[in-house]
Amino acid sequence: AQSVTQLDSHVSVSEGTPVLLRCNYSSSYSPSLFWYVQHPNKGLQLLLKYTSAATLVKGINGFEAEFKKSETSFHLTKPSAHMSDAAEYFCVVRGEAGGSYIPTFGRGTSLIVHP
Amino acid sequence: DTAVSQTPKYLVTQMGNDKSIKCEQNLGHDTMYWYKQDSKKFLKIMFSYNNKELIINETVPNRFSPKSPDKAHLNLHINSLELGDSAVYFCASSLRGSGTEAFFGQGTRLTVV
C-alpha cells in the first residue's frame, strides 16, 4: 500500500518570505513523487517530480523539493513567496501497489500569502 | 491543443437523474483515471482503467460506472444522482509506469439539486 501525509492543512506566510510545505510518504517500493498546484477553481498543474534521479528536484515558478529516503519525506520549498503562489498544493505518490500505479494524493495544503 | 479535456465544465441536475461526463486525452497514454474532489479539496481515486484492467475503488457506489469506447476516452456515467454526489470530478491520464506524471483535465463541477 502507498500513502501520503501532508503535515499542514494550512500554511500562512508573508510575501517575500520562504515557503515550506511538508510531505511524508509511505510506499512498499521505490516510489515516484510529485507536487501539484491547484489555483482557485482551476485544474491541477504539475510543479515538479522525483523519479529516482537527483534527490533535489527543481520545478516551475522557483519551487524545489528534496527527496529524503531516510526520512520518507519530500518537502516543497520556495525561497521567496509571491502573492500568485496562493493556492492548494498536493503531494502525490506513485508506486507499485498490487500491480497498479495509481497516483495517490495527500489531503492538500492551502498556502496563504499575506502582503 | 488541450492534453486532457473533459466536458461539460459545469453540470447542474436534479436528484434521481442520470448524467455522463466525457473525457478525452490526446497524449497517447495507456491509462486513464477518474477522481472525485470533495468540498475539503481531497482528491479520491474512483477508477483506474487501461486496456487490460479496470480497478475500482471499493468505496465508490455502483451507480458510478466508467465506459471506455477506446484508449483515448474514458467517460463517467452516474445513475440516480444524489445530493452527496455534488463535487468536482477530474479526469486524468498517464503512462502505466510509476515514473511518469498524470495529466489532469480542468474538472467538472457537478451540482445536484
Side-chain angles (χ1 to χ4, degrees), chain A residues 5-99:
Chain A
T5 302
Q6 291 184 242
L7 297 162
D8 305 294
S9 59
H10 296 85
V11 169
S12 183
V13 301
S14 297
E15 191 175 20
T17 63
V19 175
L20 170 64
L21 305 183
R22 298 182 293 165
C23 172
N24 286 99
Y25 70 90
S26 173
S27 178
S28 302
Y29 298 89
S30 296
S32 294
L33 293 155
F34 310 85
W35 277 97
Y36 286 82
V37 61
Q38 184 181 27
H39 288 93
N41 300 311
K42 298 289 185 184
L44 292 143
Q45 181 184 20
L46 180 71
L47 277 178
L48 49 80
K49 65 179 179 181
Y50 165 78
T51 57
S52 76
T55 56
L56 183 61
V57 181
K58 293 188 184 299
I60 62 172
N61 300 334
F63 284 95
E64 63 181 39
E66 186 171 8
F67 174 75
K68 292 187 177 180
K69 187 174 181 179
S70 60
E71 298 176 10
T72 60
S73 69
F74 190 57
H75 301 334
L76 181 69
T77 61
K78 183 173 180 177
S80 176
H82 192 273
M83 294 297 290
S84 61
D85 295 328
E88 193 81 17
Y89 291 79
F90 295 96
C91 184
V92 177
V93 63
R94 203 175 172 210
E96 199 275 342

Coordinates of all heavy atoms in Angstrom, one line a residue, chain A residues 5-99:
Chain A
T5 N 1.2 11.8 3.5 CA 0.7 12.6 4.6 C 1.2 14.0 4.4 O 2.4 14.2 4.4 CB 1.1 12.1 6.0 OG1 0.6 10.8 6.1 CG2 0.5 13.0 7.1
Q6 N 0.3 15.0 4.3 CA 0.7 16.4 4.2 C 0.5 16.9 5.6 O -0.6 16.9 6.1 CB 0.0 17.1 3.2 CG 0.4 16.7 1.8 CD -0.2 17.5 0.7 OE1 -1.0 17.0 -0.2 NE2 0.0 18.8 0.6
L7 N 1.6 17.4 6.2 CA 1.6 17.6 7.7 C 0.8 18.9 8.1 O 0.4 19.0 9.2 CB 3.0 17.6 8.2 CG 3.7 16.3 8.0 CD1 5.2 16.5 8.0 CD2 3.2 15.3 9.0
D8 N 0.6 19.8 7.2 CA -0.1 21.0 7.5 C -1.3 21.2 6.5 O -1.1 21.1 5.3 CB 0.8 22.2 7.3 CG 2.1 22.0 8.2 OD1 2.0 22.0 9.4 OD2 3.2 21.9 7.6
S9 N -2.4 21.5 7.1 CA -3.6 21.7 6.2 C -3.6 23.2 5.7 O -4.0 23.4 4.6 CB -4.9 21.5 6.9 OG -5.0 22.3 8.1
H10 N -3.0 24.1 6.4 CA -2.8 25.4 6.0 C -1.4 25.9 6.4 O -0.9 25.6 7.5 CB -3.8 26.4 6.7 CG -5.3 26.0 6.4 ND1 -6.0 25.1 7.0 CD2 -6.1 26.6 5.4 CE1 -7.2 25.0 6.5 NE2 -7.3 25.9 5.5
V11 N -0.8 26.7 5.5 CA 0.4 27.4 5.8 C 0.3 28.9 5.4 O -0.2 29.1 4.3 CB 1.6 26.8 5.0 CG1 2.9 27.6 5.1 CG2 1.9 25.4 5.5
S12 N 0.6 29.7 6.3 CA 0.5 31.2 6.1 C 1.8 31.9 6.1 O 2.6 31.7 7.1 CB -0.5 31.8 7.1 OG -0.7 33.1 6.9
V13 N 2.2 32.6 5.1 CA 3.5 33.3 5.0 C 3.2 34.7 4.5 O 2.2 35.0 3.9 CB 4.5 32.6 4.1 CG1 4.7 31.2 4.5 CG2 4.0 32.6 2.6
S14 N 4.2 35.5 4.7 CA 4.2 36.9 4.2 C 4.9 36.9 2.8 O 5.9 36.1 2.6 CB 4.9 37.9 5.1 OG 4.2 37.9 6.4
E15 N 4.5 37.8 2.0 CA 5.2 37.9 0.7 C 6.6 38.2 0.9 O 7.0 39.0 1.7 CB 4.5 39.0 -0.2 CG 4.9 39.0 -1.6 CD 4.2 40.1 -2.4 OE1 3.6 41.0 -1.8 OE2 4.1 40.0 -3.6
G16 N 7.5 37.4 0.1 CA 8.9 37.6 0.2 C 9.6 36.7 1.2 O 10.8 36.7 1.2
T17 N 8.9 36.0 2.0 CA 9.5 35.1 3.0 C 9.4 33.7 2.4 O 8.7 33.3 1.5 CB 8.7 35.1 4.3 OG1 7.4 34.7 4.1 CG2 8.7 36.5 4.9
P18 N 10.3 32.8 3.0 CA 10.4 31.4 2.5 C 9.1 30.6 2.7 O 8.3 30.8 3.7 CB 11.5 30.8 3.2 CG 12.3 31.9 3.8 CD 11.3 33.0 4.0
V19 N 8.9 29.6 1.8 CA 7.8 28.7 1.9 C 8.3 27.3 2.2 O 9.3 26.8 1.6 CB 7.0 28.7 0.6 CG1 5.8 27.6 0.6 CG2 6.4 30.1 0.3
L20 N 7.6 26.6 3.1 CA 7.9 25.2 3.4 C 6.6 24.4 3.5 O 5.8 24.7 4.4 CB 8.7 25.0 4.6 CG 8.9 23.5 5.1 CD1 9.7 22.7 4.1 CD2 9.6 23.5 6.5
L21 N 6.3 23.5 2.6 CA 5.2 22.6 2.6 C 5.7 21.2 2.8 O 6.4 20.7 2.0 CB 4.3 22.8 1.4 CG 3.9 24.2 1.0 CD1 3.0 24.1 -0.3 CD2 3.2 24.9 2.1
R22 N 5.2 20.6 3.9 CA 5.8 19.3 4.3 C 4.9 18.1 3.8 O 3.7 18.1 3.8 CB 5.9 19.2 5.8 CG 6.8 20.3 6.4 CD 7.0 20.2 7.9 NE 5.7 20.4 8.6 CZ 5.5 20.1 9.8 NH1 6.4 19.5 10.5 NH2 4.4 20.5 10.4
C23 N 5.7 17.1 3.4 CA 5.0 15.8 2.9 C 5.9 14.6 3.3 O 7.1 14.6 3.1 CB 5.0 15.9 1.3 SG 4.4 14.4 0.5
N24 N 5.2 13.6 3.9 CA 5.8 12.4 4.2 C 5.1 11.3 3.4 O 3.8 11.4 3.2 CB 5.8 12.1 5.7 CG 6.8 12.9 6.4 OD1 6.5 13.9 7.0 ND2 8.0 12.4 6.4
Y25 N 5.8 10.3 3.0 CA 5.1 9.2 2.1 C 5.4 7.9 2.7 O 6.3 7.7 3.5 CB 5.7 9.3 0.7 CG 7.1 8.8 0.6 CD1 7.4 7.5 0.4 CD2 8.2 9.7 0.8 CE1 8.7 7.1 0.3 CE2 9.5 9.3 0.7 CZ 9.8 8.0 0.5 OH 11.1 7.6 0.5
S26 N 4.6 6.9 2.3 CA 4.7 5.5 2.6 C 4.5 4.7 1.4 O 3.5 4.9 0.7 CB 3.7 5.1 3.7 OG 3.8 3.7 3.9
S27 N 5.5 3.9 1.1 CA 5.4 3.1 -0.1 C 6.3 1.8 0.0 O 7.4 1.9 0.6 CB 5.8 3.9 -1.4 OG 5.8 3.1 -2.5
S28 N 5.7 0.7 -0.4 CA 6.5 -0.5 -0.3 C 7.7 -0.6 -1.2 O 8.6 -1.3 -1.0 CB 5.5 -1.7 -0.6 OG 4.4 -1.7 0.3
Y29 N 7.6 0.1 -2.3 CA 8.7 0.1 -3.3 C 9.2 1.5 -3.5 O 8.6 2.5 -3.0 CB 8.1 -0.5 -4.6 CG 7.7 -1.9 -4.5 CD1 6.3 -2.2 -4.2 CD2 8.5 -3.0 -4.7 CE1 5.9 -3.5 -4.0 CE2 8.1 -4.3 -4.6 CZ 6.8 -4.5 -4.2 OH 6.3 -5.8 -4.1
S30 N 10.2 1.6 -4.3 CA 10.8 2.9 -4.6 C 9.8 3.7 -5.4 O 9.5 3.4 -6.5 CB 12.1 2.8 -5.4 OG 13.1 2.2 -4.6
P31 N 9.2 4.7 -4.8 CA 8.1 5.4 -5.4 C 8.6 6.6 -6.3 O 9.7 7.0 -6.2 CB 7.3 6.0 -4.3 CG 8.4 6.3 -3.3 CD 9.5 5.3 -3.5
S32 N 7.7 7.1 -7.1 CA 7.9 8.4 -7.7 C 7.0 9.4 -6.9 O 5.9 9.0 -6.5 CB 7.5 8.4 -9.2 OG 8.3 7.6 -9.9
L33 N 7.5 10.6 -6.8 CA 6.8 11.6 -6.0 C 6.6 12.9 -6.8 O 7.4 13.2 -7.6 CB 7.5 11.9 -4.7 CG 7.6 10.7 -3.7 CD1 8.8 10.8 -2.8 CD2 6.3 10.7 -2.9
F34 N 5.5 13.5 -6.6 CA 5.1 14.7 -7.4 C 4.5 15.7 -6.5 O 3.9 15.4 -5.4 CB 4.0 14.3 -8.5 CG 4.4 13.1 -9.3 CD1 4.1 11.8 -8.8 CD2 5.0 13.3 -10.5 CE1 4.5 10.7 -9.6 CE2 5.4 12.2 -11.3 CZ 5.1 10.9 -10.8
W35 N 4.6 17.0 -6.9 CA 3.9 18.1 -6.3 C 3.0 18.7 -7.4 O 3.6 19.0 -8.5 CB 4.8 19.1 -5.7 CG 5.2 18.8 -4.3 CD1 6.4 18.2 -3.9 CD2 4.5 19.0 -3.1 NE1 6.5 18.1 -2.5 CE2 5.3 18.6 -2.0 CE3 3.3 19.6 -2.8 CZ2 4.9 18.7 -0.7 CZ3 2.9 19.7 -1.4 CH2 3.7 19.3 -0.4
Y36 N 1.7 18.9 -7.1 CA 0.8 19.6 -8.0 C 0.3 20.8 -7.3 O 0.2 20.9 -6.0 CB -0.4 18.7 -8.4 CG -0.1 17.6 -9.3 CD1 0.4 16.4 -8.9 CD2 -0.4 17.7 -10.7 CE1 0.7 15.4 -9.8 CE2 -0.1 16.7 -11.6 CZ 0.4 15.5 -11.1 OH 0.6 14.5 -12.0
V37 N -0.1 21.8 -8.1 CA -0.7 23.0 -7.5 C -2.1 23.2 -8.2 O -2.3 22.9 -9.3 CB 0.2 24.3 -7.8 CG1 0.4 24.5 -9.3 CG2 -0.4 25.5 -7.1
Q38 N -3.0 23.7 -7.4 CA -4.4 24.0 -7.9 C -4.7 25.4 -7.4 O -5.0 25.6 -6.2 CB -5.4 22.9 -7.3 CG -6.8 23.1 -7.9 CD -7.8 22.1 -7.4 OE1 -7.6 21.6 -6.3 NE2 -8.8 21.8 -8.2
H39 N -4.8 26.3 -8.4 CA -5.3 27.6 -8.1 C -6.9 27.6 -8.0 O -7.5 26.7 -8.6 CB -4.8 28.6 -9.1 CG -3.4 28.9 -9.0 ND1 -2.4 28.2 -9.7 CD2 -2.7 29.8 -8.2 CE1 -1.2 28.7 -9.3 NE2 -1.4 29.6 -8.4
P40 N -7.5 28.5 -7.3 CA -8.9 28.5 -7.1 C -9.7 28.3 -8.4 O -9.4 29.0 -9.4 CB -9.2 29.9 -6.5 CG -7.9 30.2 -5.8 CD -6.8 29.7 -6.7
N41 N -10.6 27.3 -8.4 CA -11.5 27.0 -9.5 C -10.7 26.6 -10.8 O -11.2 26.8 -11.9 CB -12.4 28.2 -9.8 CG -13.3 28.5 -8.6 OD1 -13.9 27.6 -8.0 ND2 -13.4 29.7 -8.2
K42 N -9.5 26.1 -10.6 CA -8.7 25.7 -11.7 C -8.4 24.2 -11.6 O -8.7 23.5 -10.6 CB -7.4 26.5 -11.8 CG -7.6 27.9 -11.9 CD -8.1 28.3 -13.3 CE -8.1 29.8 -13.5 NZ -8.7 30.2 -14.8
G43 N -7.8 23.7 -12.7 CA -7.3 22.3 -12.7 C -6.0 22.1 -11.9 O -5.5 23.0 -11.2
L44 N -5.4 21.0 -12.1 CA -4.1 20.6 -11.4 C -2.9 20.8 -12.3 O -3.0 20.2 -13.4 CB -4.2 19.2 -10.9 CG -5.3 19.0 -9.8 CD1 -6.0 17.7 -9.9 CD2 -4.6 19.1 -8.4
Q45 N -1.9 21.5 -11.8 CA -0.7 21.7 -12.6 C 0.5 21.1 -11.9 O 0.7 21.2 -10.7 CB -0.5 23.2 -12.8 CG 0.7 23.6 -13.6 CD 1.0 25.0 -13.7 OE1 0.5 25.8 -12.9 NE2 1.7 25.5 -14.7
L46 N 1.3 20.3 -12.7 CA 2.5 19.7 -12.1 C 3.5 20.8 -11.8 O 3.9 21.6 -12.7 CB 3.0 18.7 -13.1 CG 4.3 17.9 -12.6 CD1 3.9 17.0 -11.5 CD2 4.9 17.2 -13.8
L47 N 4.0 20.8 -10.6 CA 5.1 21.7 -10.2 C 6.5 21.0 -10.4 O 7.4 21.6 -11.0 CB 5.0 22.0 -8.7 CG 4.1 23.1 -8.3 CD1 4.1 23.3 -6.8 CD2 4.4 24.5 -8.9
L48 N 6.6 19.8 -10.0 CA 7.8 19.1 -10.1 C 7.6 17.6 -9.8 O 6.6 17.2 -9.3 CB 8.9 19.6 -9.2 CG 8.5 19.9 -7.7 CD1 8.6 18.6 -6.9 CD2 9.5 20.9 -7.1
K49 N 8.7 16.8 -10.1 CA 8.6 15.3 -9.9 C 9.9 14.8 -9.5 O 11.0 15.2 -10.0 CB 8.0 14.6 -11.1 CG 8.8 14.7 -12.4 CD 8.2 13.9 -13.5 CE 9.0 14.0 -14.8 NZ 8.3 13.3 -15.9
Y50 N 9.9 13.7 -8.7 CA 11.1 12.9 -8.4 C 10.8 11.5 -8.9 O 9.8 10.9 -8.6 CB 11.3 12.9 -6.9 CG 12.3 11.8 -6.5 CD1 13.6 12.0 -6.7 CD2 11.8 10.6 -6.0 CE1 14.5 11.0 -6.3 CE2 12.7 9.6 -5.7 CZ 14.1 9.8 -5.9 OH 15.0 8.8 -5.6
T51 N 11.8 11.0 -9.7 CA 11.7 9.7 -10.2 C 13.0 8.9 -10.1 O 13.4 8.3 -11.1 CB 11.2 9.7 -11.7 OG1 12.2 10.5 -12.4 CG2 9.9 10.3 -11.8
S52 N 13.7 9.0 -9.0 CA 14.9 8.2 -8.7 C 16.1 8.7 -9.3 O 17.1 8.0 -9.4 CB 14.7 6.7 -8.9 OG 14.8 6.5 -10.3
A53 N 16.1 9.9 -9.8 CA 17.4 10.6 -10.3 C 17.9 11.5 -9.2 O 18.1 11.0 -8.1 CB 17.1 11.3 -11.6
A54 N 18.2 12.7 -9.5 CA 18.7 13.6 -8.5 C 17.7 13.8 -7.3 O 16.5 13.9 -7.6 CB 19.0 15.0 -9.1
T55 N 18.2 13.8 -6.1 CA 17.3 13.9 -5.0 C 16.7 15.3 -4.7 O 15.7 15.5 -4.1 CB 18.0 13.4 -3.7 OG1 19.2 14.2 -3.5 CG2 18.3 12.0 -3.7
L56 N 17.5 16.3 -5.3 CA 17.0 17.7 -5.2 C 16.4 18.0 -6.6 O 17.1 18.0 -7.6 CB 18.1 18.7 -4.9 CG 17.7 20.1 -4.7 CD1 16.7 20.3 -3.6 CD2 18.9 21.0 -4.5
V57 N 15.1 18.3 -6.6 CA 14.4 18.5 -7.8 C 13.9 19.9 -7.9 O 13.3 20.5 -7.0 CB 13.1 17.6 -7.8 CG1 12.4 17.7 -9.2 CG2 13.6 16.1 -7.7
K58 N 14.2 20.5 -9.1 CA 13.7 21.9 -9.3 C 12.5 21.9 -10.2 O 12.4 21.1 -11.1 CB 14.8 22.7 -9.9 CG 16.0 22.9 -9.0 CD 17.0 23.9 -9.6 CE 18.3 24.0 -8.7 NZ 17.9 24.5 -7.4
G59 N 11.5 22.7 -9.8 CA 10.3 22.8 -10.6 C 10.0 24.2 -11.2 O 10.9 25.0 -11.3
I60 N 8.8 24.4 -11.5 CA 8.4 25.7 -12.1 C 8.2 26.7 -11.0 O 8.0 26.4 -9.9 CB 7.2 25.5 -13.0 CG1 6.0 25.1 -12.1 CG2 7.4 24.6 -14.1 CD1 4.7 25.1 -12.9
N61 N 8.3 28.0 -11.4 CA 7.9 29.1 -10.6 C 8.8 29.2 -9.3 O 8.4 29.7 -8.3 CB 6.5 29.1 -10.1 CG 5.5 29.1 -11.3 OD1 5.9 29.7 -12.3 ND2 4.4 28.6 -11.2
G62 N 10.1 28.7 -9.4 CA 11.0 28.8 -8.3 C 10.9 27.7 -7.2 O 11.6 27.8 -6.2
F63 N 10.0 26.8 -7.3 CA 9.8 25.7 -6.3 C 10.8 24.6 -6.5 O 11.3 24.4 -7.6 CB 8.4 25.1 -6.4 CG 7.3 26.0 -5.9 CD1 6.6 26.9 -6.7 CD2 7.0 26.0 -4.5 CE1 5.6 27.7 -6.2 CE2 6.0 26.8 -4.0 CZ 5.3 27.7 -4.8
E64 N 11.2 24.0 -5.4 CA 12.0 22.8 -5.4 C 11.7 21.9 -4.3 O 11.0 22.3 -3.3 CB 13.5 23.2 -5.4 CG 14.0 23.9 -4.2 CD 15.5 24.2 -4.3 OE1 16.0 24.5 -5.4 OE2 16.2 24.1 -3.3
A65 N 12.1 20.7 -4.4 CA 11.8 19.7 -3.4 C 12.9 18.7 -3.2 O 13.6 18.5 -4.2 CB 10.5 18.9 -3.7
E66 N 13.1 18.2 -2.0 CA 14.2 17.3 -1.8 C 13.7 16.0 -1.3 O 12.9 15.9 -0.3 CB 15.2 17.8 -0.7 CG 16.4 16.9 -0.6 CD 17.5 17.6 0.3 OE1 17.3 18.6 0.9 OE2 18.6 17.0 0.4
F67 N 14.1 14.9 -2.0 CA 13.7 13.6 -1.6 C 14.7 13.0 -0.6 O 15.9 13.0 -0.8 CB 13.7 12.6 -2.8 CG 13.5 11.2 -2.5 CD1 12.2 10.7 -2.2 CD2 14.5 10.3 -2.6 CE1 11.9 9.4 -1.9 CE2 14.3 8.9 -2.3 CZ 13.0 8.5 -2.0
K68 N 14.1 12.7 0.6 CA 15.0 12.1 1.7 C 14.4 10.7 2.0 O 13.4 10.6 2.8 CB 15.0 13.0 2.9 CG 15.7 14.4 2.6 CD 15.8 15.2 3.9 CE 16.6 16.5 3.7 NZ 16.7 17.3 4.9
K69 N 15.1 9.7 1.5 CA 14.6 8.4 1.8 C 14.6 8.0 3.2 O 13.7 7.4 3.7 CB 15.4 7.4 1.0 CG 14.9 6.0 1.0 CD 15.7 5.1 0.1 CE 15.1 3.6 0.1 NZ 15.9 2.7 -0.8
S70 N 15.7 8.4 4.0 CA 15.8 8.0 5.4 C 14.7 8.6 6.2 O 14.3 8.1 7.2 CB 17.2 8.5 5.9 OG 17.3 9.9 5.8
E71 N 14.1 9.8 5.8 CA 13.1 10.4 6.5 C 11.7 10.2 5.8 O 10.7 10.7 6.3 CB 13.3 11.9 6.6 CG 14.6 12.2 7.3 CD 14.9 13.7 7.3 OE1 14.1 14.5 6.9 OE2 16.1 14.1 7.7
T72 N 11.7 9.5 4.7 CA 10.5 9.3 3.9 C 9.8 10.6 3.7 O 8.5 10.7 3.9 CB 9.5 8.2 4.4 OG1 9.1 8.6 5.7 CG2 10.2 6.9 4.5
S73 N 10.5 11.6 3.3 CA 10.0 13.0 3.1 C 10.2 13.5 1.7 O 11.2 13.1 1.0 CB 10.5 13.9 4.2 OG 11.9 14.2 3.9
F74 N 9.4 14.4 1.3 CA 9.5 15.1 0.0 C 8.9 16.5 0.2 O 7.9 16.8 -0.4 CB 8.8 14.3 -1.0 CG 9.1 14.8 -2.5 CD1 10.3 14.9 -3.0 CD2 8.0 15.1 -3.3 CE1 10.6 15.3 -4.3 CE2 8.2 15.5 -4.6 CZ 9.5 15.6 -5.1
H75 N 9.6 17.3 1.0 CA 9.1 18.7 1.3 C 9.3 19.6 0.2 O 10.3 19.6 -0.5 CB 9.8 19.2 2.6 CG 9.6 18.3 3.8 ND1 8.5 17.5 4.0 CD2 10.4 18.2 4.9 CE1 8.6 16.9 5.1 NE2 9.7 17.3 5.7
L76 N 8.3 20.5 0.0 CA 8.4 21.5 -1.1 C 8.8 22.9 -0.5 O 8.3 23.3 0.5 CB 7.0 21.7 -1.7 CG 6.8 22.6 -2.9 CD1 7.5 22.1 -4.1 CD2 5.3 22.9 -3.2
T77 N 9.7 23.5 -1.2 CA 10.2 24.8 -0.7 C 10.3 25.9 -1.8 O 10.3 25.5 -3.0 CB 11.6 24.7 0.0 OG1 12.5 24.2 -1.0 CG2 11.6 23.7 1.1
K78 N 10.3 27.1 -1.4 CA 10.5 28.2 -2.3 C 11.1 29.3 -1.4 O 10.7 29.6 -0.3 CB 9.2 28.7 -2.9 CG 9.4 29.8 -3.9 CD 8.1 30.2 -4.7 CE 8.4 31.3 -5.7 NZ 7.1 31.6 -6.5
P79 N 12.2 29.9 -2.0 CA 12.9 30.9 -1.1 C 12.1 32.2 -0.8 O 12.3 32.7 0.3 CB 14.1 31.3 -2.0 CG 14.2 30.2 -3.0 CD 12.9 29.7 -3.2
S80 N 11.3 32.6 -1.7 CA 10.6 33.8 -1.5 C 9.1 33.7 -2.1 O 9.0 33.6 -3.3 CB 11.3 35.0 -2.2 OG 10.6 36.2 -2.1
A81 N 8.2 33.8 -1.2 CA 6.8 33.7 -1.7 C 6.3 34.9 -2.4 O 6.6 36.0 -2.1 CB 5.9 33.4 -0.5
H82 N 5.4 34.6 -3.4 CA 4.8 35.7 -4.2 C 3.3 35.5 -4.0 O 2.8 34.4 -3.7 CB 5.2 35.5 -5.7 CG 4.8 36.7 -6.5 ND1 3.6 36.8 -7.1 CD2 5.5 37.8 -6.9 CE1 3.5 37.9 -7.8 NE2 4.7 38.5 -7.7
M83 N 2.6 36.7 -4.1 CA 1.1 36.6 -3.9 C 0.5 35.6 -4.9 O -0.5 34.9 -4.5 CB 0.5 38.0 -4.2 CG 0.9 39.1 -3.2 SD 0.4 38.7 -1.6 CE -1.4 38.9 -1.8
S84 N 1.0 35.4 -6.1 CA 0.4 34.5 -7.0 C 0.6 33.0 -6.6 O 0.1 32.1 -7.2 CB 1.0 34.7 -8.4 OG 2.4 34.5 -8.4
D85 N 1.5 32.8 -5.6 CA 1.7 31.4 -5.1 C 0.5 30.9 -4.2 O 0.4 29.7 -3.9 CB 3.0 31.3 -4.3 CG 4.2 31.5 -5.1 OD1 4.2 31.2 -6.3 OD2 5.2 32.1 -4.6
A86 N -0.4 31.8 -3.8 CA -1.5 31.4 -3.0 C -2.4 30.4 -3.8 O -2.9 30.7 -4.8 CB -2.4 32.6 -2.6
A87 N -2.5 29.2 -3.2 CA -3.2 28.1 -3.9 C -3.2 26.9 -3.0 O -2.7 26.9 -1.9 CB -2.4 27.7 -5.2
E88 N -3.8 25.8 -3.5 CA -3.8 24.5 -2.8 C -2.7 23.6 -3.4 O -2.5 23.6 -4.7 CB -5.1 23.8 -3.0 CG -5.4 22.6 -2.1 CD -5.8 23.0 -0.7 OE1 -6.2 24.2 -0.5 OE2 -5.7 22.2 0.2
Y89 N -1.9 23.0 -2.6 CA -0.7 22.2 -3.1 C -0.9 20.7 -2.6 O -1.3 20.5 -1.5 CB 0.6 22.7 -2.5 CG 0.9 24.1 -3.1 CD1 0.3 25.2 -2.6 CD2 1.9 24.2 -4.1 CE1 0.6 26.5 -3.2 CE2 2.2 25.4 -4.7 CZ 1.6 26.5 -4.2 OH 1.9 27.8 -4.8
F90 N -0.7 19.8 -3.6 CA -0.9 18.4 -3.3 C 0.4 17.7 -3.5 O 1.0 17.8 -4.6 CB -2.0 17.9 -4.2 CG -3.3 18.4 -4.0 CD1 -3.8 19.5 -4.8 CD2 -4.1 17.9 -3.0 CE1 -5.1 20.0 -4.6 CE2 -5.4 18.4 -2.8 CZ -5.9 19.5 -3.6
C91 N 0.8 16.8 -2.6 CA 1.8 15.9 -2.7 C 1.3 14.6 -3.2 O 0.2 14.1 -2.7 CB 2.6 15.7 -1.4 SG 4.0 14.7 -1.4
V92 N 1.9 13.9 -4.1 CA 1.3 12.7 -4.7 C 2.4 11.6 -4.8 O 3.5 11.9 -5.2 CB 0.8 13.0 -6.2 CG1 0.3 11.8 -6.8 CG2 -0.3 14.1 -6.1
V93 N 2.1 10.4 -4.5 CA 3.0 9.3 -4.6 C 2.5 8.3 -5.6 O 1.3 8.1 -5.8 CB 3.2 8.6 -3.2 CG1 1.9 8.0 -2.7 CG2 4.3 7.5 -3.3
R94 N 3.4 7.8 -6.3 CA 3.0 6.8 -7.3 C 4.0 5.7 -7.3 O 5.2 5.8 -7.6 CB 3.0 7.4 -8.7 CG 2.2 6.7 -9.7 CD 2.0 7.4 -11.0 NE 1.4 6.4 -11.9 CZ 1.5 6.3 -13.2 NH1 2.3 7.2 -13.8 NH2 0.8 5.5 -13.9
G95 N 3.6 4.5 -6.8 CA 4.4 3.4 -6.7 C 3.6 2.1 -7.0 O 2.4 2.2 -7.0
E96 N 4.3 1.0 -7.1 CA 3.7 -0.2 -7.4 C 2.8 -0.7 -6.2 O 3.3 -0.8 -5.1 CB 4.7 -1.3 -7.7 CG 4.1 -2.5 -8.5 CD 3.5 -3.5 -7.6 OE1 3.8 -3.6 -6.4 OE2 2.7 -4.4 -8.1
A97 N 1.6 -0.9 -6.4 CA 0.6 -1.3 -5.4 C -0.3 -2.3 -6.0 O -1.3 -1.9 -6.6 CB -0.1 -0.1 -4.8
G98 N 0.0 -3.6 -5.7 CA -0.9 -4.6 -6.2 C -0.9 -4.7 -7.7 O -1.9 -5.0 -8.3
G99 N 0.2 -4.3 -8.4 CA 0.3 -4.3 -9.8 C -0.2 -3.1 -10.5 O -0.1 -3.0 -11.7

